Amino acid sequence: MASEAKLKELLAQMTLDEKIGQLVQTNGIFFLKDDSELTGPATELELDLDYRKNIGSLLNFKNAENAIKIQKKHIEDDRNGIPMIFANDIIHGCRTIFPIPLALGASFEPDLVEECCRMAAKEAAADGVHLTFSPMVDLSRDARWGRVMEGFGEDAYYTGVMAAAQIRGYKGKGLSSKESIATCAKHFAAYGAGEGGRDYNAAELSEHALREYFLPAYKACVDAGVDMIMPSFNSVCGVPATANKYLLCDILRDEWGFDGVVNSDYSAVKELITHGVAKDYKDCARLAFDAQCDIDMISPCYAGYLKQLIEEGVFSEEQLDRSVMRVLKLKNDLGLFENPYHGADPALVAKLELCDEHREIARRAAEESAVLLKNNGVLPFSKDVKKVVLLGPFATTYSILSWWSSRGDKTKATTVYAGVKELLKDAEVIALDVCTRDYNDEDESNIAEAVELARNADVAILCVGESGRYSGEANSRTDIRLSKVQRTLVREVTAVQKNSAMLLFGGRPLVITEENEYVPAILEMYLPGHEGGSAAARLLFGDVSPSGKVSMSFPRSVGQCPVYYNRTQTNRPPRAQYLDVPSPHNFTSAYLDCGTSPLFTFGYGLSYTTFRYDSMTLDKTKMTKEDTIKVSVTLTNTGNVGAKEVVQLYLHDLVASTAKPVQEFKAFKKIYLEPGETKTVELEINEPMLKLWTPKGEFISEPGEFTVSVGYADHFHFTERFELID
Ligand code: GLC
């Protein structure tokens, strides 16, 4: 690895154009097409061809072979021989796809998330990737927003814990390792707070909301050593994040001390014009660079105008050097100066892709991420059944990966049909898609056949949900129920077959309030990746018990959105008896036509066994800021199958200088218990957990009384008081 002095020497010999080139990031197409073909989309980059030799990084280059070919030519063309960074969106796997982050959020298994990302890094590095635009840590409270599938849900602390696990997984033994890739936390900040759940929309929120909810997970990434930050597309309090000096300089650089690369989102710099804050590309370059956005992704602003801005004295060459040095340092950390190809190895890709070990990790992740939302006792189905019908658009489809399944070959996914067939070798397994996965499908012509199949089977599994193409970027929706034909299918099948279960797929918490009324069992799989079908089969037929817990609340109605567990009390909270049902008019903060609480709230999830919480004890009930309180929770598996449970700890600050949530999730442990086994779990309360953002703009703890509870949101087994004393 080169020393900092060597990097400074390199910087000193670079021309202005060469320096600026390091801050330009283009699409792989710019290097893969030969010159005569570079028209149309490529020229959208508005860069002339000989500019290629200066470019510092690129994304979307498909595979290791291309990475090697492009890098080799680039080093020959670039006067300084500076290797490019090869980036890609490795969001939930590279070639072996595991569950989407929203599903992993239900696992409450940081170690498993780390293991998945370790696997993804090995595959990605072999496939020529140096940098992934992951983790995504946007707080997700609004299920209308399609990008909730990319994050870990509605709790900032928990999102930070899981994102830190991702960063550990991706970085492994260090960036210079051929099995590691650099990381980028996105989308900074408050991208999930877009008004109306509409993607890219303005986020108008208070400093208090930013500090308490929408910033902490990014800070957790900075503390975990994330290599890069990507500003969000949206405006935050009126200023687009890409040019938001308060976010990018005052908070990120000055307050948090982050001196890594800030990489714009796709064309976000030039889109400052459509935001209405810049009049032309030169203005875009000025605004973004002034906010210390170092790299301009897929837009002509820096390439076209940064030189002018420096020659005109708007920016100094020292400011340019500062950004260029950040990029050179990242390349140096990756070991690219010694080994410009990093881990690229096409033969290794072929060996790793969907190998048994990786498939096993993907299956385990899908099992741990599934949430049993309802079970009247029909699950697990017996493996002795003779006839099973799988009904619905997810019965045989390979499309159980997601919008962000990178280079994963979906045709190699284990479908639900294949999983059930493999597990029940002697049973007759019939699958009927019945309808499409389109959310507006109303064609009910195949319902009658499905009902007949269900009537004459031992069990009916309804494989329904929202297609992966309707979540992810630019996929906001206002009606997040199942499609009409799927709702009819579920209703009519369950009317004739009591041994029915609904297997639910999708990239967001759907509104399934209607189905919840009459379906005997609901197992949420989200978008479970390559081994989703085998995981679903093992869960449905009891080889493994579901252990996932909701990390993003399910609305009863889209009219509740955004709805989340850590609500504030208000001056007139809903009466307890009306929390889950429509409230009469009684001057409380409730709905006349719907319960206030989510249908399924944060931390909720059933098991095939039952757990009795026997006790919760505190080793003290008063603590100073230097102290901690040990919380011991004893629980017993009172059922007849071994299973995992997530022991969850919530705090409530009874009186504070701001209105605090009725409950805040602050610690957890997932443990396995054999039937009849009793275990005691130790959790800890420390002072940082008690901090709040005060009206004076400080993040501090305040002496006073708190409660500590165990259970899941709004459903506690024990609650005790303790005091923080001066
Ligand atoms: C997209 C996304 C961002 C992604 C980037 C590169 O528009 O907003 O999450 O990393 O472009 O693909």
Side-chain angles (χ1 to χ4, degrees), residues 316-483:
S316 67
E317 192 147 358
E318 287 69 34
Q319 285 172 290
L320 175 64
D321 289 353
R322 178 177 59 187
S323 286
V324 176
M325 186 53 92
R326 287 171 182 149
V327 176
L328 296 180
K329 275 182 188 166
L330 180 54
K331 294 183 176 185
N332 195 35
D333 291 346
L334 282 160
L336 294 182
F337 291 107
E338 292 74 33
N339 170 16
Y341 307 103
H342 195 55
D345 180 344
L348 181 56
V349 175
K351 193 162 155 282
L352 293 175
E353 179 174 13
L354 293 165
C355 64
D356 290 349
E357 182 199 347
H358 286 190
R359 275 194 186 268
E360 192 273 336
I361 294 170
R363 180 181 52 73
R364 242 181 322 118
E367 287 170 0
E368 297 284 338
S369 303
V371 185
L372 184 58
L373 296 172
K374 180 181 180 183
N375 185 19
N376 72 358
V378 291
L379 290 181
F381 289 135
S382 160
K383 290 171 79 170
D384 299 332
V385 292
K386 295 289 175 272
K387 188 169 181 181
V388 179
V389 289
L390 305 172
L391 302 169
F394 283 89
T396 61
T397 181
Y398 292 113
S399 296
I400 50 175
L401 306 183
S402 93
W403 196 85
W404 271 128
S405 40
S406 186
R407 304 173 185 186
D409 178 350
K410 69 177 184 181
T411 67
K412 294 180 180 163
T414 303
T415 64
V416 175
Y417 176 74
V420 174
K421 197 88 179 90
E422 171 60 25
L423 191 69
L424 305 179
K425 292 196 173 30
D426 303 331
E428 182 187 3
V429 182
I430 300 170
L432 185 67
D433 286 358
V434 185
C435 58
T436 67
R437 294 188 299 281
D438 288 345
Y439 64 81
N440 52 7
D441 187 349
E442 301 196 359
D443 173 4
E444 304 197 352
S445 56
N446 298 318
I447 296 279
E449 182 187 359
V451 171
E452 276 319 296
L453 282 171
R455 192 194 307 277
N456 300 314
D458 295 326
V459 298
I461 299 168
L462 290 147
C463 307
V464 294
E466 176 194 65
S467 162
R469 69 172 177 278
Y470 294 130
S471 52
E473 187 172 347
N475 273 305
S476 298
R477 295 174 58 207
T478 60
D479 182 349
I480 51 178
R481 295 176 298 168
L482 293 173
S483 62

Side-chain angles (χ1 to χ4, degrees), residues 25 59-60 88-91 132-134 136 138 147 150 184 186-187 191 199-200 230-233 263-267 297-298 403-404 473:
Q25 185 175 86
L59 62 150
N60 303 337
N88 208 180
D89 292 280
I90 307 296
I91 306 300
T132 177
F133 294 124
S134 173
M136 185 272 213
D138 301 314
R147 301 199 75 165
E150 299 175 51
C184 172
K186 67 186 187 183
H187 308 78
Y191 188 21
D199 207 352
Y200 315 125
M230 180 187 287
S232 55
F233 283 122
N263 194 120
S264 88
D265 203 337
Y266 200 110
S267 301
M297 181 197 290
I298 319 260
W403 196 85
W404 271 128
E473 187 172 347

Side-chain angles (χ1 to χ4, degrees), residues 61 87-98 101 116-117 119-121 123-125 127 129-136 166 170 181-182 186 404-407:
F61 53 90
N88 208 180
D89 292 280
I90 307 296
I91 306 300
H92 58 111
C94 180
R95 299 271 176 159
T96 306
I97 304 301
F98 45 85
C116 286
C117 291
M119 166 176 78
E123 291 187 356
D127 218 4
V129 177
H130 305 158
L131 160 73
T132 177
F133 294 124
S134 173
M136 185 272 213
Q166 284 188 296
Y170 290 134
I181 54 178
K186 67 186 187 183
W404 271 128
S405 40
S406 186
R407 304 173 185 186

Side-chain angles (χ1 to χ4, degrees), residues 506-532:
R508 70 178 90 218
L510 294 169
V511 170
I512 51 172
T513 308
E514 179 189 321
E515 290 72 24
N516 186 51
E517 288 301 311
Y518 51 75
V519 173
I522 303 172
L523 182 63
E524 171 70 70
M525 296 301 292
Y526 298 103
L527 291 170
H530 270 118
E531 283 304 310

